[in-house]
Amino acid sequence: GTWDLLAGQVTDDSEMALALARSLVAEGGFDAGAVGRAYLAWGASHPFDMGGTTARGLAALAGRGRPSRDSQSNGALMRVSPIGIAAGSHKRAAVWAQADAELTHPHPVCVASS
């Protein structure tokens, strides 16, 4: 692929899913502020790849600019699986997934997809 990754090697999407999972465990549920801080810490770790929509979303979380409301990229959907495991109900999973998508991928299509 693009980055000559090994089969099964962790990607930016996997790293963000892990950051989300760790936050869900540490907080006992979804806390947008805690998840945002986890994503910012991941971004500060100098990952080898980060999508443009995610980069703009993280900059907005850090108080620098606005998230991309026009992008329909899949970054939020790629990291959402820990919510399905932790939420305990379909309704809670939907609420948490939508709130998570809003952090970096606020386009209505992205929010609804998550």
Side-chain angles (χ1 to χ4, degrees), residues 2-98:
T2 303
W3 299 106
D4 293 321
L5 300 177
L6 301 173
Q9 187 171 341
V10 176
T11 65
D12 55 328
D13 299 312
S14 300
E15 289 175 337
M16 290 191 80
L18 289 168
L20 172 59
R22 289 179 186 116
S23 177
L24 292 169
V25 170
E27 299 298 321
F30 184 84
D31 177 282
V35 172
R37 289 187 295 278
Y39 292 160
L40 288 170
W42 167 77
S45 75
H46 306 290
F48 70 88
D49 186 31
M50 181 187 309
T53 302
T54 297
R56 285 190 64 188
L58 294 184
L61 286 173
R64 299 182 314 270
R66 295 178 184 230
S68 178
R69 297 199 178 277
D70 297 326
S71 174
Q72 296 182 37
S73 66
N74 66 354
L77 185 60
M78 295 288 287
R79 67 179 185 239
V80 76
S81 59
I83 288 175
I85 296 166
S89 76
H90 292 99
K91 185 176 181 177
R92 186 177 303 130
V95 170
W96 288 2
Q98 290 172 353

